[in-house]
Amino acid sequence: MEGFNPKFVFCLLAIIFLIHFAKHSHAEARVDGFTTDFMSRDLPRSPFYNPSGTKYQRLAMRASPNDIQSNVISGGGSYLMNISLGTPPVPMLGIADTGSDLIWRQQCLPCPNCYKQVEPLFDPKKLKTYKTLDCNNEFCQDLGQQGSCDDDNTCTYSYSYGDRSYTRGDLSSDTLTIGSTKGDPASFPDIAFGCGYSNKGTFNEKDGGLIGLGGGPLSLVMQLSFEVGRQFSYCLMNFGKSGVVSDSGTVSTPLIKGTPNTFYYLTLEGMSGGSEKVAFKAVEQGNIIIDSGTTLTLLPQDFYTDVESALSKAIGGETTTDPSGTFSLCYNSVKNLEIPTVAAHFTGADVKLPPLNTFVQVQEDLVCFSMIPASDLAIFGNLAQMNFLVGYDLKNNKVSFKPTDCTKQ
């Protein structure tokens, strides 16, 4: 070809490589992993902690019907994660949710439909690296039907939830910093997130937004997949090789691909209440999702009925009614109650759940089974995951469980 210069092409490729390396070298230094706080909203160090409330009131809040409808917004029983957005970094304490993708920040200026909040509103004009994304950006395309295009070609998002809460705003990008508990904070440029300027519903004045950890392309996990190798876990929130869950006592089950790709699908083959095993009548692959943002465990009606029957036989004693109507299996007397371990039989992994994971004390004299029947998608909720180190290995398509005292992590 006339004018072709091999030396020029070689230099050009070298420059492209160096630019790519410079962009990723800071993050690649942390490919072995990093760790950050992952806290329950009910812990004293959480800003949502109410010192005047009893633990029974907090458990009752966790089991509210609105919580069951919407696993994302500000019901109790959520888990929180610290990140910062922008340069200089602006802290955000968001709900960590494996059942959602988009990272979004509430209350961005200008904000025509904002509510009162404790922290100052998020002001993009004060950030050096903030930018809105246009409608041709690949992240905008990833929004699908939840994205749209403004007259000025700015990509906007709109998310609605089961409790009629919603958030709308610009799809943006900026540097995201995760305050590691081991070593220096880890910073990542050009992370896509939603900057909400119209938010309404059951939001709390201390809410900061949501951190999507699902399997779709907009989630934090997938945006950091180059840096952390598609691996993460929680008691603490661990990314990269730090997120690998192994060692003695660990059991693992395959991740099943499903639609939408946001969710992490597992196969539940049955459950045991005491000595009696209840099997699914027809086991389908990927018949339950695991979700850190849903409080209770939801099971198909027929299967739930059989599990409850087996468990009530094993416990004995006289049952009572839940005044709120949320729970089906409840007991008044706590002192003389012998609650057996409940085993969740996933493919290749028997996850043994002690009473802490399966019963909640919703009043001074009332304990209830924290699994309920549902007509829609089955969900393995976060009460069932307490005191487990739960690891997601998206490279090898598996989820692992290791019994762990998470208060010591």
Side-chain angles (χ1 to χ4, degrees):
M1 182 182 297
E2 186 177 354
F4 176 76
N5 187 332
K7 291 184 179 179
F8 173 77
V9 173
F10 176 81
C11 290
L12 181 62
L13 290 174
I15 291 170
I16 292 172
F17 172 79
L18 288 173
I19 292 173
H20 177 82
F21 179 79
K23 181 177 179 182
H24 292 287
S25 60
H26 183 62
E28 280 199 54
R30 294 176 175 83
V31 74
D32 283 344
F34 55 89
T35 302
T36 189
D37 284 332
F38 191 68
M39 73 186 81
S40 168
R41 296 170 72 102
D42 296 337
L43 289 177
R45 59 196 172 100
S46 165
F48 299 94
Y49 178 73
N50 178 9
S52 64
T54 67
K55 67 176 181 178
Y56 310 123
Q57 289 170 332
R58 290 192 289 272
L59 284 170
M61 179 185 69
R62 275 202 267 211
S64 66
N66 283 342
D67 221 16
I68 298 163
Q69 285 183 323
S70 175
N71 61 356
V72 176
I73 307 298
S74 49
S78 299
Y79 287 87
L80 306 172
M81 179 179 168
N82 272 307
I83 65 170
S84 295
L85 290 168
T87 307
V90 179
M92 167 185 161
L93 188 62
I95 297 172
D97 186 14
T98 58
S100 184
D101 285 334
L102 183 66
I103 307 159
W104 52 266
R105 170 94 200 202
Q106 291 176 202
Q107 310 282 80
C108 293
L109 291 172
C111 200
N113 189 19
C114 279
Y115 56 90
K116 182 180 179 181
Q117 70 175 40
V118 173
E119 298 294 329
L121 299 186
F122 186 75
D123 189 354
K125 292 183 179 179
K126 295 182 178 180
L127 304 177
K128 298 177 182 178
T129 48
Y130 176 89
K131 60 183 177 182
T132 56
L133 300 180
D134 63 42
C135 298
N136 298 320
N137 187 279
E138 63 177 316
F139 285 122
C140 186
Q141 306 303 314
D142 291 332
L143 284 171
Q145 295 182 346
Q146 292 169 305
S148 59
C149 196
D150 276 357
D151 294 338
D152 63 356
N153 201 38
T154 297
C155 182
T156 61
Y157 75 93
S158 179
Y159 274 63
S160 299
Y161 302 98
D163 63 353
R164 299 184 182 178
S165 298
Y166 65 81
T167 175
R168 296 168 188 157
D170 293 335
L171 188 65
S172 311
S173 72
D174 210 329
T175 297
L176 182 145
T177 301
I178 299 179
S180 178
T181 58
K182 297 180 179 179
D184 296 331
S187 294
F188 306 94
D190 302 321
I191 297 297
F193 69 99
C195 203
Y197 53 69
S198 180
N199 312 291
K200 192 173 182 180
T202 58
F203 300 113
N204 186 289
E205 63 182 9
K206 296 179 181 179
D207 280 341
L210 185 141
I211 302 167
L213 299 169
L218 286 163
S219 81
L220 179 62
V221 175
M222 301 310 291
Q223 289 196 61
L224 298 186
S225 62
F226 178 83
E227 288 85 359
V228 302
R230 296 162 63 92
Q231 295 168 318
F232 71 100
S233 65
Y234 48 77
C235 285
L236 284 175
M237 178 57 72
N238 302 291
F239 291 88
K241 292 182 181 178
S242 299
V244 174
V245 177
S246 57
D247 301 327
S248 177
T250 300
V251 294
S252 301
T253 187
L255 266 173
I256 307 298
K257 295 185 182 300
T259 304
N261 59 6
T262 297
F263 298 142
Y264 298 114
Y265 296 88
L266 309 179
T267 302
L268 183 65
E269 298 177 344
M271 298 188 94
S272 296
S275 59
E276 183 176 347
K277 181 176 180 179
V278 178
F280 265 99
K281 295 178 181 177
V283 178
E284 295 181 1
Q285 294 291 303
N287 59 4
I288 191 169
I289 68 169
I290 178 170
D291 185 6
S292 67
T294 296
T295 305
L296 305 177
T297 291
L298 281 60
L299 301 173
Q301 178 68 67
D302 292 346
F303 179 65
Y304 172 84
T305 300
D306 293 341
V307 171
E308 180 187 300
S309 175
L311 189 57
S312 62
K313 288 178 184 177
I315 295 173
E318 185 178 350
T319 61
T320 190
T321 302
D322 172 24
S324 73
T326 302
F327 300 102
S328 178
L329 180 62
C330 297
Y331 296 88
N332 274 330
S333 176
V334 181
K335 294 180 180 178
N336 299 322
L337 209 60
E338 294 186 5
I339 301 174
T341 295
V342 174
H345 303 291
F346 296 102
T347 300
D350 292 338
V351 179
K352 297 179 180 179
L353 307 173
L356 172 71
N357 297 91
T358 57
F359 275 79
V360 291
Q361 192 158 6
V362 295
Q363 293 179 8
E364 191 73 37
D365 60 348
L366 183 67
V367 294
C368 297
F369 185 41
S370 61
M371 301 184 186
I372 61 173
S375 57
D376 298 322
L377 190 63
I379 301 175
F380 194 66
N382 64 42
L383 286 182
Q385 299 174 55
M386 286 195 307
N387 277 351
F388 281 92
L389 183 57
V390 184
Y392 295 72
D393 186 342
L394 308 186
K395 290 197 304 184
N396 298 304
N397 294 314
K398 65 179 181 179
V399 172
S400 300
F401 301 85
K402 181 182 178 181
T404 305
D405 185 352
C406 290
T407 63
K408 296 180 180 179
Q409 297 298 303

